[in-house]
Amino acid sequence: ACGNSEDGSASGAEKSTLRYGHSAPPTDPGGVIADKIAADTAEATGGEVAIEVFPSGQLGGEVEIVEQLRSGSVDMAFVTGGALSNFVPDIAVLDMPFLFDDLDHAKKVLNGEVGNQIKEKAAEEGFQILGFYDYGEGHLANTKQEIKEPGDLKGLQMRTLENDIFMDTFKALGADPVPMPFPEVYSAIQQGVVDGTDPVNVAMIGGKLFEVTDYYTEISLNYRSGILLMNKDKFDGLEEETKTELETVVQDSIDHYHSVVYPEYEESVKETLTENDVKIVPIEDVDREAFVEAVQPVYEQHEARFGDLIERIQNEK
Amino acid sequence: MIITLIVILTVLLLINVPIAVAFGLGTFIVVFMSGSFEVTTLPNRMFNSLDSFPLLAAPFFILAGKIMEHGGISEKLVTFASSLVGHLKGGLAHVSIIACMFFAALSGSAVATTAAVGAILIPAMVKAGYDRNFSAAVQAAGGTTGIIIPPSVPMVLFAVTGGVSVGDLFLAGIVPGVLVGLSLMVVAYVYSSMKGYKTTARVNVSGIGRSFIDSLLALFMPVIILGGIYGGIFTPTEASVVAVVYGFLIGKFVYKKIDYAVMKEILLSTVVIVSSVSLIIASASFFGLWLTLERIPHTLGTLVGGTSLAPFLVMMMIIVLLLIVGTFMEPMSAIIILTPILLPIVILLGYDPVHFGIIMIVTLSIGLITPPVGLNLFIAAKVGDIRYESIVKPIIPFILILIIDVILIVLLPQISVGVANLSK
Amino acid sequence: MWSKSIRALNKGTENFTMILLVIMVLLVFFQIVSRAMFSTSFSWTNELARYMMVWLAFLGGGIAFQHNAHIGIEAIVERFSVRWQKFIQLAVMVICISFFIILIVTGLEFTTSSMTQSSPALNIPMGLVYLALPISGILQILNVVDLNLNYFKSKETESER
Ligand code: NA
Ligand code: NA
């Protein structure tokens, strides 16, 4: 099927199929938006471009999906910034703790010149970034106690990704970071191998972690971006008209995602947590200043990697 | 294309092309002919299918089993087990199934269960006079409980993809897991009676006591693993390494049976087994990716769901579909692809999602012991040191009883969801 | 000369993969001990152990041929006459070699294209990690050829008797 899309550019009437891979279940925000993009594209192009969605990691883990996208077996992918940072190191800057004041700040940065720089770097590696979405924010879930200040984390074994910035963040906060693959996390928390983790809401709800954790602090420790990608050669090979149609569809999806899908999901998270007796610690009850203070060593450790990126991001408020 | 591929695979397999090569080459030819995706996906998929931490448990448990065998631990454990049940028909076969069930309560993986228990008990059964092929088949079948009795990695995946509670699924898996274990023991009993396996004389209490004390250090191994996992010290995957280290220390310094030469032999045979099984996992996974990208399970699932038959008949068709898919694909991929298609259909038919999750997992676990791609079969055959095709005949009765179990689980929802409901 | 070199190569591979297995055990054990006793974890232990397993699996493929460990279905071929068996043996060799050539070629292409991709924890080029695949292809070809040379030599002496 992948040959078709190239043929499609030669004669306008021919039908082409694009494969779209992502790792979210179909009902998660990432899954909902994938289906919307597929439906809208079919409508906008009058059925000329069909998008086949492969959800739930059917094609493999996020990094593998990106690899398949780069080789051309997959045409489009929605992945987290973390997966793409293995190919485009600058993107790892988004993993820095408390980098953004809020989601608006993140939006401004990613739609501004920093976002453009990331897009250019990605293009050099063969990726066309079609859009940035809020994937979520890392919060703190655990089985031991309410976390309101950095001292509450002291000595807790917190699961995180095999990512130096995330691990150093926990170290700076006094916790013991434990890297662990996601499928093992549920049982590891249940059996007490780890005391908690730093999940985004889709992991907390979709990954069922609310069943085994008792306390949830809405701290927005770090920002996770969702990035919609396309194989650059595939994108360049599209007809100008199709490109414009696709770009419109994507822009619509971004607007819809941030105005409806994402906020509704975030709202439903609170309900699910309350129903399941997870104690929510709202950000108002948290000494955020103390946390921001405590993670400064992480900046000293990693700043050099990112040149002037951090400064530019902080200036863009 | 699927027909072409099946023909190619059949020919290659029949002329004794290694299974890893047959699946890799067959799929590659079809991909190349149809241009359905880029060829570098072959190395890409083969690598990524093995790059998994939970998968590490298999080599470690195979290694641990070999160390226990050569280090004298297995012998002590088996002597003790024989003193308890050796006088029963098929005593050791029952021991290995029960051991699988206990192990299943620790590990979330069928492969790890087969590897861990099989590496100890297949050699022991052979020593006690059981047919080697049958011993391996018992182990492969017993290993299926690994994903039915909680914890279970495929259950977590089903819960995440289907949006049901992991906790409810885990609870609902307990009784079906025990049912499966008991039914496998029935088959083992009948087979052992037919073969007239000799039973040992009943051992009196003081004999059992002596053998208990003699095997104390060996018996401490499961205690350490159990305690470590439930005490929250290590994960089930990490437990495999604890087993290796403990087995080595006891075999080397207490029983003094492991020297440099023995250790080399243990390591080399583990490498050979791990490599031959892993390469099949890698190639079969490339084949599985092709099926996924061509949407073949997806199309079949939609087809089955679209029929307007009575609910029970639709469910039976779904089970047949799952058995067919399970013949070629491992449970996790099948769950990820088919859950979103099948779950809405069965909910409309009036089935409880948790009930269906258990049906799906038990049915797919049968796929682990059906040729041509049955991971439990590969591991049991390798660990039991028999030819792959030799395990096919003795496994058939086990497959049949498991299918009966599935039908029972469909007809009597109390078996699965009953427990989950009780706890509410 | 040929058999001597193959034997030396396999000896080397055997030692290398056995050492990998030992290091994997030590790594994961170290991970448990450092976490449980010293409350310290490292981002790279897990990843390194996984990559080592993949290397072990792929490099072991060649040795597995020598131990007749690759899983296949032997029963049917054995029913044929010796003449047919020889022919099938040859065909299987050609089939295996073609697959391994594919593995080498696609593996090298994948390796080269992944040099700019870094591993999540160790931060090493993924291309180096993926090198296990083409190397595996080479080792397996050499061993398949060696096995067949020995097979036909032994069949030759059989028929001379
Ligand atoms: Na289990
Ligand atoms: Na199977």
Side-chain angles (χ1 to χ4, degrees), chain B residues 101-166:
Chain B
M101 290 163 67
F102 269 102
F103 193 84
L106 302 174
S107 156
S109 141
V111 171
T113 306
T114 313
V117 183
I120 301 166
L121 274 155
I122 298 176
M125 284 179 70
V126 172
K127 222 181 223 175
Y130 287 81
D131 171 46
R132 203 173 259 281
N133 300 339
F134 170 69
S135 309
V138 166
Q139 218 44 244
T144 59
T145 55
I147 58 169
I148 305 173
I149 295 175
S152 157
V153 176
M155 275 187 202
V156 174
L157 264 182
F158 178 87
V160 169
T161 346
V164 305
S165 151
V166 182

Side-chain angles (χ1 to χ4, degrees), chain B residues 160-206:
Chain B
V160 169
T161 346
V164 305
S165 151
V166 182
D168 287 355
L169 264 180
F170 277 7
L171 280 175
I174 298 173
V175 179
V178 174
L179 170 75
V180 164
L182 290 177
S183 68
L184 296 177
M185 286 163 76
V186 170
V187 175
Y189 181 85
V190 173
Y191 187 93
S192 302
S193 307
M194 279 162 52
K195 287 280 170 171
Y197 284 129
K198 277 195 221 88
T199 50
T200 53
R202 184 187 278 273
V203 180
N204 61 20
V205 179
S206 76

Side-chain angles (χ1 to χ4, degrees), chain B residues 255-275:
Chain B
Y255 299 152
K256 298 199 167 60
K257 286 194 169 178
I258 296 179
D259 56 20
Y260 183 73
V262 173
M263 198 58 213
K264 257 187 107 169
E265 190 193 324
I266 292 173
L267 287 171
L268 183 59
S269 58
T270 306
V271 165
V272 170
I273 293 178
V274 169
S275 176

Side-chain angles (χ1 to χ4, degrees), chain A residues 231-245:
Chain A
N231 177 302
K232 189 161 186 308
D233 293 338
K234 285 279 164 59
F235 182 79
D236 292 342
L238 293 176
E239 275 182 78
E240 285 308 316
E241 195 193 335
T242 317
K243 264 187 211 168
T244 322
E245 284 161 352

Side-chain angles (χ1 to χ4, degrees), chain A residues 182 186 189 201-213 265 272, chain B residues 155-167:
Chain A
F182 190 69
Y186 182 95
I189 293 180
N201 279 335
V202 283
M204 187 69 183
I205 303 302
K208 306 288 167 193
L209 297 183
F210 64 85
E211 291 178 21
V212 287
T213 50
Y265 187 82
T272 312
Chain B
M155 275 187 202
V156 174
L157 264 182
F158 178 87
V160 169
T161 346
V164 305
S165 151
V166 182

